[in-house]
Amino acid sequence: MLNPNGAGEPVSAAIPVELFEPLQGERQRDFIARPSIGYWQHVWLRFKHNRIAMVALVVVASLVLFAVAGPWLWRVDPAAQSIGSRSLGPTLQRKAEVVSWRPWMFSAAAYQQSMADPAVDVVVADANTEFVRLWWRGVEGAVRYEVYRSIGGDLASDATGLPLEDIEAESVPRLEDRLDLRQRDYTYIIHAVDERDQVLQRYSQTVSPSLAIAIMDAQLEGLVPVHMAVGDIEGTGLVLPAHPLGTDHLGRDILARLMYGGRVSLFIGVAAPLFYVLFGALYGGIAGFLGGRTDDVMMRMADFIVALPFLLFMILFRVLFDVQPGESGISAMLVAMIVLGWPSTARLVRGQVLQLKELAFVNAAQILGARPLYIILTHMLPNVMGVLLVSLTFAIPSAIFTEAFLSFIGLGVAPPAPSWGSMCNDGIRTMLSHPHELMFPAVAISLAVLAFNLLGDALRDAFDIREGVTDG
Amino acid sequence: MAERELLVVDELRVEIPTHGGFVRAVRGVSFSMEPGKTLALVGESGCGKSVSVQAMLGLINVQGLRLAGEARFMGQDLLAMSEAQLNTVRGARIGMVFQDPLSAFNPTRTIGEQIAEGLVLHKGMAKQAALEEARRLLDECRLSEPARRVVQYPFELSGGMLQRAMIAMALACGPQLLIADEPTTALDVTTQDQILWLMQELQRSRGMSILLITHDLAVVARMADDVAVMYAGQLVERAGVDDLFSHPTHPYTRALMRATPHGEMVRGEPLASIEGSPPDLFAPPPGCGFCPRCDHAMRICEDRVPLLFTSRRGGGVSRCWMEHPDYSRARVVGDA
Amino acid sequence: MPLMRYISGRLVSGVFTIWFIATATFFVMHWVPGDPLSDEKAVSPEIRKNLEARYGLDKSLGTQYWIYITSMARGDFGISYTQKNRSVNDIIAMHFPVSAMLGALAVLFATVGGILWGAVAARYRNRWPDGAIMFAVILTVSVPSFVFAALSQHLIIKLNQLLGFSLLPVAGWGGFRNMLVPALVLGLGTMAYLTRLMRASTLEVAGSEYIKTARAKGLSSLQIFRHHEFRNAVLPLITVLGPAIAAITTGGFVVELIFTIPGLGRYFVAAVQQLDYTVIMGTTVFYGAFLVLMVLLVDIIYGLVDPRIRLQGKGAGVRA
Ligand SMILES: Nc1ncnc2c1ncn2[C@@H]1O[C@H](COP(=O)(O)OP(=O)(O)OP(=O)(O)O)[C@@H](O)[C@H]1O
Ligand SMILES: [Mg+2]
């Protein structure tokens, strides 16, 4: 009634007799498991084989190196302002001419001479980034000239641009422009207007100012010796420093600020979690280990702390530490993060300890008379190490975020000390015209947070901890 | 071709991918079942009983699963069916009962809803009618206060009650085959007894076949018509229940019986345990899986997998070289 | 009635928590060096006395605490230090509805989006939609919200320029059009978090035994998803909605600053900068109480939805 033969292969030829001899002697009855390796080694192996983890590790290491060692290599003062190079995009070294501004000494003869050629309507007398000087052919019947400036070369025939000045018609119609000049093409539009506001004539002239720096600025920024006579410097060439990541709205070098800011942001981001994870672990470990009423009361406390509105209390600590508006509250921020941050780790570790307490080996150690502290150190610590490391790794990005957030709303690190968050705060003002000022610090924050998050994920996988355990 | 058998499983192989490689969980299992009869599938924990039946029904939801062999149910190969085709068989013609009733019910839906679901799906019943039918089924499965149970949630019922409800759920659409995967392991002894009794009664009244997975030989003796013994992913012995108990052939079966308490034991007599552990299913040994633990192991056992030979004494088959026709000749020669 | 017991238990602990928040706020503010009136310029002794009397600073600490707690309990948060004719209640009443509206819309975005994306990612596990969604999630949680706010503002400007008319306002407050983008930005981080959670939750449910039972019943994968997986996967998400609302409410500060929305968050930041003590205290306690209430509400909803709590008064730990 059963299938007579379910086997696939046909019964082969007769089997040699000696194969039916019984096996003799002691035999290995258990299968040999593959060589067993230690827990930590296992974790490390799993971690090592995770490519994302290794990339994240490299990114974290580079960021730390960037912040710690960077300022030694890139010796630029992060607080040094430069009026001449505000909000620059990334630039290399540039040659500039030292100029000095004096009132425009104007010669009518020169004007007449330049207007001799009927093909020329507008003459550019000077064009550098400190000042642009133009004059043009007067128009019969015009009472004033409206001058506009716009960026770029070719313009539509009716476009105007930024209104610069209204100039009364005098003997020599001319304009001096010193308004935030950059090293790029400008087109000046001149409308000659009569008393009924009719445009009689339109001139347009494209100008490319050469890079120049005022003597005063050069002296202030230490580019030329202060004691040198003005006459000796004027007209000489000068090399302006490079700004690989550009400058901010005060002309400060963004690369240097990013390095110093990284020190602040990463310090807060790592120090605060380190302290509160350690404290939380100790707290939770003690609560879990002692158990009973003590445990109840201790965890109740933790619950209360969790219920406090986190960011609001972060800010309250600023008031408590008497941080005045405009001051940096780094220590207030650190203390607040530690005071408010520990409960999640405490809960986590307590849960682990409670679980481990159930396990036989701890009981056995207890029966053998081991002291509680000894039990915690020798049995429990290695077991909660993984959970701790993972929650530390996840705490870092959230601390970096908190710093950035507080500095961004102006209640964290305040200028002139840079932090990535306060740099974003600065950058957001000029975001529309100079997006790089926001972009670079934002990228730094995102990169750090991303790397630590990925690292946390990888560690969680390596330690084989259930997802969701570290979500507090 | 019309088969008399309800289910014919032929050389079923299942390999499950894991991080450490493929687990060769089932390595050639063949058996068949007749209508109205009970086949017991026995073997120690981890030998691949659950994987065999679940693979057959397409219930192992693992990407990269490797399946081979055939499982013909009423003449159609289940392994070759598409998901949609399988869905017309599962629940409708084959009902399944799982080991742990509490985790086998969705905790957030009522018992009634979960039973009615299959009826709505396979029988096209209206929701209300299906709930009424669910009540009737619970009654048939001897669950007290069936009308109240319909609107209760799984956590409100005890394990035994839940197992009855699960049987009702499996039987809802009147299947020809009931697969029960260790239906009583999670229950206490009295409840176990009641559930087994219920299954026997239902089998009698409905005339269905039961594929019963268990590692309890007492249950086998009581319920089964035929028995298939598995070891390390392979079928090692197959026989009618009387044959098996009177003439267990395979050394593993015999060891299993020695390890089970039974009526004729003398008080104080020690239960034999099987020395050693089952082989690593990631890299099964080249020869007989049981060889390392077998007291009768021979040289051939180490490197050649035995076929299923017809047992010399019983009416079944046994995957053991000692049943090979050449074995007795060799013994005679060797003894001489 | 297990459910009533559950709810009353939650209520009691909620009241306790609010009391703790109020007390903590009071003492934190009391440890502040100097007294709140020390900044007042050119105050004659009499006026100072008057002011002290007005703010109750001349009484003992115990009395002050008692007055503070009882007036808080009555819902009276006092008078602003910097705007002497405005009560803190007025300020809250004026600015909070704005924050609440923005927050509610953001919570809506976050939950609907999170559930949807998470469910899609889980259904297409290890295939490209899953990869794309999870990549977006990890990116989203790694970029600070103010960057998204700034970027979206930039995009609105570009879009308006492109269209030649103002499709969406760049900043300010008014109708629904003003809320749309800020709420989206505000909800983004939480949406990413919920997406992740929903995916994990769905996968956990998908791996459970009862899904195997459902498959053994012959249900198609879509039916299983609709009738078993989705519902059970969403349930635990409700428990993190409380903390999510908290994150969104406090995250509102940044969005309100960037989009110049006259919400309570922006006002709070200003109050801290001006050291307006009563406003700081009042707002903190108010926000704290609001959050506790939200968590409470979410817990109660969860209790109503989850039969294990509804019928037995116990179940999965309610806070995440
Ligand atoms: N999803 C899976 N992934 C990896 N390995 C699996 C999976 N399911 C089962 N296995 C492995 O397949 C083998 C057979 O498992 P199976 O569940 O069929 O055993 P069983 O005979 O039913 O045992 P029990 O009596 O404990 O139920 C085991 O070694 C198990 O580890
Ligand atoms: Mg099993």
Side-chain angles (χ1 to χ4, degrees), chain C residues 27-109:
Chain C
F27 283 103
V28 166
M29 296 305 280
H30 239 274
W31 284 328
V32 173
D35 70 87
L37 295 179
S38 58
D39 283 347
E40 299 276 329
K41 283 170 221 69
V43 197
S44 70
E46 294 100 275
I47 297 178
R48 193 184 163 89
K49 274 240 140 46
N50 271 339
L51 280 174
E52 279 186 1
R54 177 167 179 179
Y55 291 112
L57 295 173
D58 51 349
K59 307 200 173 57
S60 73
L61 188 64
T63 323
Q64 279 188 44
Y65 176 69
W66 176 247
I67 292 173
Y68 165 85
I69 279 292
T70 45
S71 51
M72 287 268 169
R74 283 198 313 272
D76 176 7
F77 293 108
I79 297 160
S80 161
Y81 272 102
T82 48
Q83 303 176 19
K84 301 246 159 21
N85 48 3
R86 264 185 107 189
S87 76
V88 179
N89 289 43
D90 276 351
I91 293 171
I92 292 175
M94 181 155 162
H95 297 286
F96 180 67
V98 173
S99 295
M101 222 140 64
L102 189 66
L105 195 60
V107 169
L108 189 76
F109 277 142

Side-chain angles (χ1 to χ4, degrees), chain A residues 86-151:
Chain A
R86 283 163 310 183
S87 297
L88 281 182
T91 45
L92 297 176
Q93 285 189 341
R94 297 160 307 157
K95 275 203 160 45
E97 188 193 359
V98 182
V99 296
S100 105
W101 183 87
R102 296 187 192 85
W104 193 356
M105 304 308 268
F106 192 78
S107 129
Y111 174 70
Q112 294 301 343
Q113 197 187 339
S114 65
M115 286 294 136
D117 180 357
V120 173
D121 288 326
V122 183
V123 172
V124 181
D126 286 290
N128 59 54
T129 53
E130 289 296 312
F131 47 86
V132 169
R133 287 165 175 171
L134 311 164
W135 63 59
W136 56 88
R137 193 180 297 283
V139 175
E140 199 77 35
V143 289
R144 59 193 172 85
Y145 299 94
E146 292 172 355
V147 185
Y148 302 90
R149 187 181 85 185
S150 64
I151 294 162

Side-chain angles (χ1 to χ4, degrees), chain A residues 1-24 27-34, chain B residues 11 30 226 238-239 275-280 282 291-295 297-300 302 304 307-308 317 321 324 326-327 330-331:
Chain A
M1 55 199 232
L2 289 163
N3 250 12
N5 197 347
E9 44 182 306
V11 181
S12 50
I15 295 171
V17 169
E18 60 274 18
L19 283 182
F20 285 107
E21 276 168 25
L23 288 169
Q24 313 264 294
R27 282 180 295 135
Q28 174 78 33
R29 297 217 173 212
D30 295 280
F31 73 88
I32 305 138
R34 278 154 289 179
Chain B
E11 275 298 290
S30 313
D226 300 305
R238 216 172 46 197
E275 222 180 300
S277 57
D280 182 4
F282 284 97
C291 168
R293 301 166 78 182
C294 181
D295 292 331
M298 302 172 291
R299 277 175 55 196
I300 191 171
E302 278 193 313
R304 285 173 70 176
L307 306 177
L308 282 171
V317 291
W321 284 117
H324 191 274
D326 291 348
Y327 173 77
R331 266 296 111 99

Side-chain angles (χ1 to χ4, degrees), chain C residues 27-316:
Chain C
F27 283 103
V28 166
M29 296 305 280
H30 239 274
W31 284 328
V32 173
D35 70 87
L37 295 179
S38 58
D39 283 347
E40 299 276 329
K41 283 170 221 69
V43 197
S44 70
E46 294 100 275
I47 297 178
R48 193 184 163 89
K49 274 240 140 46
N50 271 339
L51 280 174
E52 279 186 1
R54 177 167 179 179
Y55 291 112
L57 295 173
D58 51 349
K59 307 200 173 57
S60 73
L61 188 64
T63 323
Q64 279 188 44
Y65 176 69
W66 176 247
I67 292 173
Y68 165 85
I69 279 292
T70 45
S71 51
M72 287 268 169
R74 283 198 313 272
D76 176 7
F77 293 108
I79 297 160
S80 161
Y81 272 102
T82 48
Q83 303 176 19
K84 301 246 159 21
N85 48 3
R86 264 185 107 189
S87 76
V88 179
N89 289 43
D90 276 351
I91 293 171
I92 292 175
M94 181 155 162
H95 297 286
F96 180 67
V98 173
S99 295
M101 222 140 64
L102 189 66
L105 195 60
V107 169
L108 189 76
F109 277 142
T111 38
V112 172
I115 288 172
L116 231 61
W117 292 121
V120 170
R123 249 190 96 66
Y124 293 93
R125 180 186 192 184
N126 293 339
R127 281 186 278 162
W128 73 264
D130 183 22
I133 291 171
M134 291 327 280
F135 182 73
V137 161
I138 190 107
L139 222 58
T140 308
V141 297
S142 302
V143 176
S145 60
F146 50 76
V147 174
F148 281 120
L151 277 181
S152 63
Q153 225 174 17
H154 205 112
L155 283 180
I156 295 176
I157 290 171
K158 283 269 137 63
L159 184 75
N160 287 346
Q161 273 175 358
L162 203 73
L163 291 174
F165 65 95
S166 177
L167 181 72
L168 287 167
V170 177
W173 188 244
F176 180 73
R177 286 190 332 142
N178 288 82
M179 287 167 64
L180 204 63
V181 175
L184 207 60
V185 169
L186 185 53
L188 212 56
T190 307
M191 186 194 293
Y193 174 66
L194 288 179
T195 302
R196 213 175 153 150
L197 221 60
M198 178 68 187
R199 178 182 181 271
S201 169
T202 310
L203 288 181
E204 196 182 322
V205 169
S208 64
E209 277 293 301
Y210 58 84
I211 294 303
K212 205 169 250 183
T213 313
R215 275 153 54 81
K217 268 191 275 187
L219 268 63
S220 73
S221 78
L222 192 67
Q223 283 165 327
I224 290 176
F225 183 75
R226 278 176 38 206
H227 298 307
H228 295 278
E229 284 176 359
F230 182 75
R231 198 182 136 121
N232 289 27
V234 165
L235 267 182
L237 248 65
I238 299 177
T239 60
V240 299
L241 222 51
I245 292 173
I248 282 179
T249 323
T250 36
F253 293 12
V254 157
V255 173
E256 286 172 13
L257 277 178
I258 293 183
F259 288 96
T260 55
I261 293 168
L264 193 55
R266 201 160 67 122
Y267 204 91
F268 179 75
V269 173
V272 171
Q273 273 156 352
Q274 296 160 5
L275 294 179
D276 190 335
Y277 290 80
T278 34
V279 173
I280 297 174
M281 282 162 88
T283 320
T284 307
V285 174
F286 176 78
Y287 259 131
F290 173 71
L291 295 183
V292 169
L293 278 176
M294 283 297 129
V295 172
L296 196 74
L297 200 69
V298 166
D299 281 3
I300 290 173
I301 290 174
Y302 189 67
L304 289 174
V305 177
D306 191 326
R308 280 163 292 191
I309 295 178
R310 190 172 68 228
L311 300 170
Q312 292 188 321
K314 65 179 183 212

